Amino acid sequence: MLIIEFLKMVWSRFFPFLGWPRPAFDSLRKDAWAGLSVALVLIPQSLAYATLAGMPPETGLYAALLPALVGTLWGSSSLLAVGPVALTSLLTFASLTALASPQEPEWVALAIWLAVYSGAIQCILGALRLGSIANFVGFPVITGFINAAALIILFSQLPALVGIPGGFDAGLAGRTLLALRETPKLVSETAAFGISAVLILIITKRYAPRWPGVLLTTLAAIALSAAIDFSAHGGEVVGSISGGFPSIVRLPVLSPEQHLRLLPAAIIVALISFTEAMSSCRALARRRGEQWNENQELIGQGLAKIISGASGAFPVSGSFSRSALNAYVGATSGYSTIFATAGVAACLLWGTPYLYHLPRAVLAAIIIVPVFSLVNWGVFYRLWRTSCDDGVIAVLTFVVTLTTVPNLHWGVAAGVAASLLSYLYRRARPRIVEVGVHPDGSFRDRAVHHLPPIAPHVIAVRMDAALTYVTAPVLERFVTERVYETPKVEIVLLCCSGNNDIDATGVEMLSSLHRNLSAQGIRLTLCAVKKQVREVLERSGLHEKFGDDAFFRTDQDAIELLANCQITGRSIAV
C-alpha cells in the first residue's frame, strides 16, 4: 500500500497534469472559447515580441506553441498563459546586443542558448525546492526595474511606430529630419498605421474589453496595407514568414567565451521572468481561490524555456495580460491553453501567408499599448511613504537600469545589492529598550510609557530581533551601558520574547556577558525564551552554566519573582 502511494506521489510530481479533473462538456466549451480568444491575441503579440527580442517573426509563433503547452502541463497554475512576453523579450534583446546583430544566425543561436540556460536554472531551483529564492528580488527592485524596462521598450518602439529607420539613439533626430525631407509620404503613411493602431487598441481596451482589439487591429491593418500595396512604396511589413511546425533543433555551437557571457544574463532572465510569472499566479490564485506551488511552477516555466530554445525560439514567461484575459472570458482549466496552442498551430500551418502585409508599425503599437500600463509613477511615492529605504532602492534600480542600457542586469544587481545592504543595516540597528511593568501586566518600553523599573536593583532589557552576529554586539553594549549608568544593580533580565533565533556569536556574547556581570556581582537572567533558542542554549552548555533558576518561562513569572527577590550565592530567592 505504501509503495502504491509513493508511486502515485512520484507520478503526480513528474506528470502534474494527470491530476487535472476530467472535463465536462460545459467546461470544455468555456475553455475552447477562452483558448480561441487568447490565441487571437497571442498570434499578433508573438510576432511583435519576436521583433522586440530581435528574432525572426516566425520564432514568436514557435515560442507560443510547444512552450505554452509544456508550461501549462508541468506548471501549477492552470490558467497561467505561457509564451512570449514584453519584459523577457526586452531582456533577451538587451542580453545579446553586445554579442551579435539582431536576426542574424549568431543572434538566434545565442537566444536559443539563453532560453536553455535560463530554463535549466529555473528547473534546478524548482527541483531543489528553492522557489523562495526569487523573493531576494524584492518588490522595490521589481518596481524600479519594470518601470525602467517599460520606458526602454516604449522609446525603442517609437521610431518603428512613426516610420523612422533605426532605433532610439543619439542619431534619431538626424534620421528623422532626413526621412521627413526625403520620404515624407512614407513617414506619414507609416505613422498613420502606427498611431491609428494605438488609438484603436486603447479605445477597444477601455470601452469594449471583450472585443479582440488586437485581432481587429491586425486584420484591418493587413487589409489596408495590401490594398494600397504599402510594401511596394517602401513601407516596412512583416514579410514572408516560414510556415509549418518548428522542428526540434540541434543546439548550435558556441565558443566557451560566449557561453560564459550568457550565464549572468540567463540568471537575470530566470529570476525576473519567474518573478513576473509569480505575480500572475498570485493574482489568479486570489481570484479563483486556488492553491499553486512556486517550486512546481519553476519547473514548468523552466521546461517551457528549454522547449522554446529547442524549438529555435527565445525565452518565454507567464503573461499577466493574456492570463487575465484567459480568466476574464471564462476559462476553467488548463485545457484552454490546449485550444490556444491549437489556434497557433493552425496559423503556422495555413495562416502565415496572410501575415505578409502586416505593417511593422502596427507590431510596434501592439507592443506599446500593453507595456504603457506597466509605467506606474505613483508606486514610487507609495514606497517612499511606506519606507524611505524601499523608496531609495526602487529609484536606484530605476536609474541604474536606464543608465546602463543595454546591460539591464546591472539595474537588478544594484537593486538587490542595495536591498541586502538595507537589510543588514536595519538588522544591525535593532530596537533595544529597557522595559518596565505596564498596568496591563505586560512588559513595555519604560521611556515611552514612563514606567518605573521592575525593582530598584533590576534592569530588564528587550531586543526585538534575532540574537546573531549582527545584533549580539549591539545588545551587549546596550546592557553594559545601562549597568554602568544604574547604581546597585543586582539582576539583569533579558526578555527574549522578541528573539526567534540565535547563532554561535549570540551564544558567545551571552557567555561573555554572564562572565563579566558575575565578576561585578550581578546575575544574568532570561525570560520567555523560545523553544528554538532554548535548544541552542542547551546544546552549547550555556543553559547548564546559567542554572535553571536563571530562566523564567514567561514574562509574568519573571515579574512575580524578580519584583521582591534577593541574591543568595548563585541562586535567586524570594
Side-chain angles (χ1 to χ4, degrees), residues 66 130 137 158 313 349 431 494 516:
L66 290 178
L130 294 176
V137 186
L158 285 179
L349 288 175
R431 181 175 182 265
L494 296 182
N516 294 336

Side-chain angles (χ1 to χ4, degrees), residues 2-307:
L2 290 175
I3 295 176
I4 294 175
E5 291 298 322
F6 176 75
L7 290 175
K8 285 182 178 179
M9 181 188 71
V10 173
W11 191 259
S12 64
R13 178 67 56 82
F14 284 96
F15 304 100
F17 55 89
L18 295 178
W20 288 4
R22 177 177 293 181
F25 175 78
D26 186 58
S27 64
L28 271 181
R29 180 181 57 81
K30 292 179 180 178
D31 287 334
W33 172 246
L36 177 62
S37 301
V38 171
L40 295 178
V41 173
L42 176 58
I43 291 169
Q45 277 192 348
S46 298
L47 300 174
Y49 293 147
T51 303
L52 180 60
M55 297 286 285
E58 61 269 15
T59 61
L61 296 174
Y62 298 164
L65 190 64
L66 290 178
L69 197 59
V70 169
T72 299
L73 292 177
W74 272 270
S76 66
S77 181
S78 59
L79 298 191
L80 181 66
V82 180
V85 296
L87 188 56
T88 306
S89 298
L90 173 66
L91 286 172
T92 300
F93 184 87
S95 302
L96 306 183
T97 296
L99 303 178
S101 299
Q103 300 200 23
E104 294 295 326
E106 186 181 10
W107 180 284
V108 175
L110 289 166
I112 289 172
W113 273 106
L114 182 63
V116 171
Y117 278 137
S118 58
I121 290 169
Q122 288 187 330
C123 285
I124 291 170
L125 291 177
L128 296 177
R129 320 296 291 171
L130 294 176
S132 59
I133 199 171
N135 296 331
F136 282 98
V137 186
F139 180 69
V141 178
I142 292 297
T143 295
F145 180 79
I146 287 181
N147 276 275
L151 287 183
I152 293 168
I153 293 172
L154 292 174
F155 285 121
S156 71
Q157 297 303 305
L158 285 179
L161 185 74
V162 295
I164 304 301
F168 191 89
D169 52 30
L172 178 61
R175 293 197 306 274
T176 302
L177 292 175
L178 183 63
L180 290 174
R181 185 171 59 249
E182 295 185 352
T183 56
K185 183 180 179 182
L186 178 61
V187 171
S188 62
E189 288 179 352
T190 305
F193 272 112
I195 295 173
S196 298
V198 168
L199 293 176
I200 294 172
L201 289 171
I202 292 175
I203 291 171
T204 53
K205 181 180 179 181
R206 183 177 180 86
Y207 297 106
R210 288 185 176 273
W211 288 18
V214 175
L215 177 68
L216 294 176
T217 304
T218 302
L219 293 178
I222 291 174
L224 183 58
S225 174
I228 66 173
D229 205 2
F230 182 57
S231 60
H233 301 158
E236 287 196 40
V237 296
V238 170
S240 298
I241 298 177
S242 301
F245 293 150
S247 56
I248 300 301
V249 301
R250 184 177 180 181
L251 292 179
V253 177
L254 297 181
S255 68
E257 181 185 0
Q258 288 175 314
H259 282 290
L260 288 175
R261 294 185 69 177
L262 279 178
L263 288 178
I267 294 172
I268 296 298
V269 169
L271 291 178
I272 295 297
S273 65
F274 182 59
T275 304
E276 182 184 24
M278 279 200 305
S279 65
S280 300
C281 289
R282 290 194 186 102
L284 290 170
R286 285 194 296 265
R287 178 171 180 170
R288 294 170 55 85
E290 294 180 343
Q291 295 285 332
W292 70 285
N293 185 296
E294 61 185 10
N295 294 304
Q296 187 62 49
E297 195 59 50
L298 261 173
I299 293 173
Q301 293 282 315
L303 290 174
K305 284 181 172 63
I306 292 173
I307 291 298

Side-chain angles (χ1 to χ4, degrees), residues 401-461:
T401 302
L402 286 180
T403 55
T404 57
V405 173
N407 301 309
L408 304 185
H409 60 276
W410 288 116
V412 178
V416 171
S419 298
L420 293 175
L421 288 175
S422 173
Y423 177 83
L424 291 175
Y425 177 75
R426 281 185 269 191
R427 294 303 177 272
R429 298 172 67 249
R431 181 175 182 265
I432 305 176
V433 295
E434 185 178 348
V435 296
V437 183
H438 192 268
D440 65 6
S442 64
F443 280 139
R444 299 289 184 89
D445 187 344
R446 283 187 58 200
V448 173
H449 298 278
H450 308 291
L451 301 174
I454 298 175
H457 56 281
V458 176
I459 294 177
V461 175

